[in-house]
Amino acid sequence: MHYHVHSFSSATRLEKVLVESVRDSLPRSKGVTLWNCLYATLSTLSSLFLNYTLNMDYLNMNLLVPNVNIGINDVYDMKSNHVRYNKLLACMGEVIKTMDEFTPPAQLNVVRKSVFKAIEQGHVEFVTHMCEANPTLVVDILDEDDKSIFQYAIECRQEKIYNLMYGLKRKKIEKIAHRVAKFNNNMLHSVGNLSPLPPINHIQGASLQMQKELQWFEEVKRILPTEMHEYVNTSNLTARELFTKSHKKLKDEAEIAMKGIAASSTTVGALIVTMMFAVAFTAPGGTDSNTGLPMFMHKKLFKIFLLSDTISLISSATSVITFLGLLTSTYAEDDFLWFLPTNLMIGLSALFISIVAMMITFSCALTIMFDGEAKMIIPVIVLATVPVVSFAIFLFPLLFEICRCTYGPSMFGKKAGIKHSIFGKKAGTEH
């Protein structure tokens, strides 16, 4: 797979052509300087930078995919363009530094559109650089709906850009939190609306997407003053009411998906319980006619057989009970935050343990019965690992995602890895 690296050919040459073309199109007057040309070309250059970073993200994603046709020249060209565009970004930062409230509205509009487009596409490097160049200007700009860059980041679900707010002074954060946009929507109303943009991190399933939406809501609710929680917009809806209304379809899809997993897993777990209960009273090799005890009860393998059978029976019964709890749950909104994901994780883990223990029980029984017949035993034991491997391949990614989203590091704030303030000082301190 080849990338369109040639569309970014020499960045230096492209800058020269753009500046010269704009300069030629401007009226010849004393007020027209090279800086005016740079202002005029800022929108075009920022668009090119955003397109470039999209290509870089695409390349980084596909480097992990085997059998992808990536040429060395392609990688070299992308690296070269990366260096050029870093210089270009620095040049744009120099332009931003000179801008203030007295800058002509047309020039401010170019910066505003560039920054909000970068937020929409999740280009945190671009936004961070612009904030560092002129934090007062960039942080205070608003879009057409009077939303700040952080409120728009919430609307687009761009947590990395939202986390830049933790680099502001505490008073500045409070000011942003109190801001009300068009239609009396505050920041909590923005997270109450389901984002119109598709999820860029490819969340597995509606239930995990619903969980992430709730995590966003709880995070924004935490930073907002208490009096803003029940703030009503022009539609006479609080943020929570808006969240319930806009997420109803997603909640229903998440409930159907989770009940589907629970129903299928309950059937499998019930079958394992039935088999393992019967196996417990059917000893391999039979029993002694005089004592009624198993013939091989003193063998180590028989003890492993009994132990694995017990583990399989208990874990499968646990999974069935857990999944029955999921099937009978009320599926309230807040349940998707911790309760339902945790129960699903416990149920799937218990089911996996029961399958592993069942295969061990099966292997021990065969080994006891066909002692010394290695040619027969080994292939059967190898085949017995197929269900375990299949379960791991298909369900481990889901289990890992549930565990990461529920108990992993937070995607917000300092826990998300904020290393520096866009003001160059420790986040959250008074200046």
Side-chain angles (χ1 to χ4, degrees):
M1 183 179 294
H2 293 286
Y3 304 97
H4 302 289
V5 295
H6 301 294
S7 63
F8 299 105
S9 57
S10 175
T12 305
R13 180 183 174 188
L14 182 58
E15 291 173 54
K16 183 178 179 181
V17 171
L18 285 169
V19 172
E20 289 179 353
S21 64
V22 174
R23 182 190 295 145
D24 293 339
S25 65
L26 291 172
R28 300 292 180 178
S29 64
K30 293 182 180 180
V32 178
T33 63
L34 179 59
W35 287 112
N36 294 127
C37 295
L38 286 173
Y39 282 132
T41 57
L42 179 60
S43 179
T44 306
L45 294 177
S46 62
S47 177
L48 288 169
F49 178 81
L50 297 181
N51 289 332
Y52 160 73
T53 51
L54 276 177
N55 260 285
M56 284 298 295
D57 291 342
Y58 187 64
L59 174 63
N60 292 334
M61 179 180 66
N62 283 281
L63 282 174
L64 301 177
V65 181
N67 300 323
V68 176
N69 184 17
I70 301 176
I72 295 177
N73 290 334
D74 289 342
V75 177
Y76 175 77
D77 288 342
M78 292 295 285
K79 180 63 178 178
S80 300
N81 284 324
H82 180 68
V83 175
R84 294 190 186 104
Y85 276 87
N86 279 338
K87 293 179 181 178
L88 174 59
L89 189 57
C91 180
M92 293 167 63
E94 291 298 321
V95 176
I96 295 292
K97 282 181 181 178
T98 65
M99 303 180 77
D100 53 28
E101 64 271 16
F102 302 108
T103 303
Q107 296 175 2
L108 288 173
N109 191 47
V110 170
V111 176
R112 180 179 59 80
K113 287 184 177 180
S114 300
V115 171
F116 279 96
K117 188 65 176 178
I119 293 171
E120 181 180 317
Q121 297 182 356
H123 296 291
V124 65
E125 182 183 2
F126 182 92
V127 178
T128 303
H129 199 91
M130 295 299 102
C131 287
E132 290 174 342
N134 195 332
T136 303
L137 174 69
V138 176
V139 171
D140 289 339
I141 61 174
L142 305 174
D143 69 354
E144 294 86 349
D145 295 328
D146 294 332
K147 296 173 186 172
S148 67
I149 62 172
F150 301 109
Q151 189 167 355
Y152 192 66
I154 291 171
E155 185 176 295
C156 298
R157 304 298 191 266
Q158 300 293 351
E159 62 272 8
K160 291 183 180 179
I161 296 174
Y162 166 83
N163 285 332
L164 294 176
M165 186 166 61
Y166 287 94
L168 298 174
K169 293 183 290 185
R170 189 176 294 109
K171 288 184 178 179
K172 189 67 176 179
I173 295 176
E174 291 175 357
K175 180 181 177 181
I176 293 172
H178 279 88
R179 183 182 295 279
V180 177
K182 195 175 180 180
F183 306 117
N184 283 347
N185 287 321
N186 60 22
M187 293 176 72
L188 205 55
H189 283 97
S190 293
V191 77
N193 275 315
L194 191 61
S195 176
L197 301 176
I200 60 173
N201 55 350
H202 309 293
I203 302 174
Q204 295 187 33
S207 57
L208 290 179
Q209 188 177 348
M210 184 67 185
Q211 182 190 43
K212 187 172 183 180
E213 291 291 302
L214 285 164
Q215 288 171 345
W216 266 104
F217 191 87
E218 292 299 320
E219 163 63 19
V220 177
K221 183 179 178 181
R222 185 182 63 82
I223 67 166
L224 250 63
T226 307
E227 63 269 18
M228 300 292 287
H229 294 177
E230 300 300 321
Y231 196 85
V232 178
N233 63 7
T234 54
S235 299
N236 201 31
L237 293 173
T238 64
R240 188 72 200 200
E241 290 169 345
L242 181 61
F243 184 92
T244 301
K245 180 180 178 181
S246 62
H247 288 75
K248 185 179 186 305
K249 183 179 178 182
L250 179 62
K251 175 180 171 293
D252 292 341
E253 291 176 355
E255 181 178 346
I256 291 171
M258 195 163 283
K259 281 186 175 180
I261 295 174
S264 302
S265 301
T266 300
T267 303
V268 176
L271 289 172
I272 295 175
V273 168
T274 304
M275 289 188 296
M276 292 298 100
F277 188 82
V279 167
F281 299 97
T282 310
T287 58
D288 191 313
S289 57
N290 296 323
T291 61
L293 297 175
M295 295 290 294
F296 303 103
M297 64 177 298
H298 298 294
K299 281 194 172 186
K300 289 184 179 180
L301 272 178
F302 187 81
K303 294 178 181 178
I304 296 174
F305 166 84
L306 284 180
L307 179 62
S308 58
D309 179 74
T310 304
I311 292 173
S312 181
L313 180 63
I314 294 172
S315 57
S316 58
T318 301
S319 70
V320 168
I321 294 170
T322 304
F323 287 126
L324 284 175
L326 287 175
L327 288 171
T328 58
S329 175
T330 57
Y331 285 89
E333 280 180 0
D334 291 336
D335 289 346
F336 286 94
L337 192 59
W338 296 100
F339 178 74
L340 293 175
T342 300
N343 279 3
L344 184 61
M345 187 168 58
I346 292 172
L348 290 175
S349 300
L351 186 61
F352 177 72
I353 292 172
S354 68
I355 292 175
V356 172
M358 180 178 66
M359 291 298 102
I360 294 174
T361 303
F362 173 74
S363 300
C364 288
L366 283 181
T367 305
I368 292 171
M369 292 171 61
F370 298 97
D371 189 20
E373 298 291 336
K375 292 182 179 180
M376 181 181 295
I377 296 172
I378 293 175
V380 174
I381 292 176
V382 171
L383 290 174
T385 62
V386 173
V388 177
V389 174
S390 299
F391 188 97
I393 291 173
F394 291 114
L395 287 180
F396 262 30
L398 177 60
L399 268 174
F400 174 79
E401 193 70 13
I402 294 172
C403 184
R404 185 186 65 82
C405 293
T406 308
Y407 298 102
S410 173
M411 60 182 174
F412 302 111
K414 296 179 181 179
K415 293 181 181 179
I418 300 299
K419 296 181 180 178
H420 65 279
S421 166
I422 58 177
F423 280 89
K425 296 184 179 181
K426 187 177 179 181
T429 58
E430 298 294 343
H431 290 53

